[in-house]
Amino acid sequence: MNSRTTPVFIITGEQGQCKTTFLHQVLGLIVGANVRVRGVLAPGHVRDGRRSGFTLVDLATGEHEDLSSIDPDPRCEVHGRFYFRPEGLLFGRRALALPDPGETDLVVIDEVGRFELQGGVWAEQIDRLVALPHPPMIWTVRRRLLDTVIDRWKITNPVVVDVGAASVMATADAVMDAVWEWRERQTFSPVPAPLVPGDRITNDAPLFAEAVAGGSPGAPAILRRRYGPEG
């Protein structure tokens, strides 16, 4: 599998520990070289202190679609207590279609969880992605499912990013290095050294609160490379 030569960054933490927020901040810092990002963000909604649904954002286009809700709907596909809208599932599966390796620098999946482990939601798209040459990827995974997800998709070089200890800046820097190596391979076909299997990013540096400063709001495209003092 190509996952032996390109890293899969896995942002992990407990439920409600802001994995999606951390991912959004990382993407906000990757602002160089017109990095071409594909995939989905899945910000959640809370009602009465409890998760009530998710929206999907297509990172390649900036478009969004409601994905799921706890409100019953006979048209929906049921996973756990959530009702997944057919329009949302179709939207996400299109966003996660196999990328052209020459036209994509980074693939993002927020999140890979128990529904995928049961063969639902994005499982088929993930199977296809890991079976063929793919760019570097970032996944978000709940901590208790981390080992199961790594084993299920046979990720041999996961770079585990714990949101409780990691630096957004250090994570963005590592992702950007992987993107540069990927782009160089597409152009010059060298044989780069992969990241050490099982690497964990646990820099104690403070999170960079202004992660999206300098970027256009909601824009998935990378406009220029810029790192702060931690880079």
Side-chain angles (χ1 to χ4, degrees):
M1 288 187 184
N2 192 64
S3 58
R4 295 181 181 275
T5 58
T6 56
V8 177
F9 295 85
I10 301 180
I11 296 173
T12 192
E14 302 296 345
Q15 183 177 10
Q17 204 175 358
C18 300
K19 297 183 293 296
T20 296
T21 300
F22 188 99
L23 170 58
H24 187 267
Q25 291 175 335
V26 168
L27 295 176
L29 283 175
I30 303 174
V31 291
N34 293 319
V35 171
R36 298 158 298 183
V37 183
R38 291 191 57 145
V40 291
L41 280 178
H45 309 294
V46 175
R47 184 191 306 166
D48 299 326
R50 193 179 186 196
R51 181 75 70 200
S52 62
F54 294 88
T55 296
L56 277 185
V57 179
D58 184 333
L59 289 169
T61 66
E63 296 175 343
H64 58 86
E65 181 74 46
D66 289 338
L67 174 62
S68 65
S69 171
I70 58 173
D71 298 324
D73 185 334
R75 302 180 310 115
C76 292
E77 187 175 303
V78 182
H79 294 281
R81 63 189 184 92
F82 291 99
Y83 293 80
F84 283 76
R85 300 176 68 246
E87 300 90 342
L89 288 169
L90 179 60
F91 178 86
R93 287 163 182 162
R94 286 175 174 168
L96 293 171
L98 285 175
D100 180 341
E103 298 294 330
T104 306
D105 299 313
L106 183 67
V107 175
V108 174
I109 308 177
D110 176 34
E111 75 181 80
V112 181
R114 60 190 177 95
F115 302 144
E116 286 74 24
L117 288 169
Q118 294 165 357
V121 190
W122 318 132
E124 184 176 338
Q125 285 67 40
I126 297 171
D127 287 344
R128 292 176 178 173
L129 281 167
V130 300
L132 295 172
H134 62 73
M137 293 198 282
I138 307 177
W139 299 358
T140 61
V141 177
R142 197 174 302 179
R143 185 176 287 119
R144 66 181 178 82
L145 300 177
L146 177 63
D147 292 339
T148 306
V149 165
I150 290 172
D151 182 65
R152 163 66 178 80
W153 279 285
K154 297 179 172 59
I155 306 302
T156 59
N157 61 339
V159 181
V160 178
V161 181
D162 189 320
V163 298
S167 160
V168 169
M169 183 69 73
T171 303
D173 197 25
V175 171
M176 200 66 226
D177 285 345
V179 166
W180 287 124
E181 290 183 4
W182 167 258
R183 297 186 80 171
E184 287 169 1
R185 283 210 304 278
Q186 302 312 299
T187 304
F188 304 109
S189 299
V191 181
L195 291 175
V196 176
D199 273 0
R200 288 178 179 263
I201 297 177
T202 56
N203 191 328
D204 290 330
L207 300 183
F208 184 62
E210 296 79 26
V212 295
S216 56
I222 311 286
L223 303 179
R224 61 190 180 279
R225 190 173 191 177
R226 184 184 68 186
Y227 295 119
E230 296 177 55

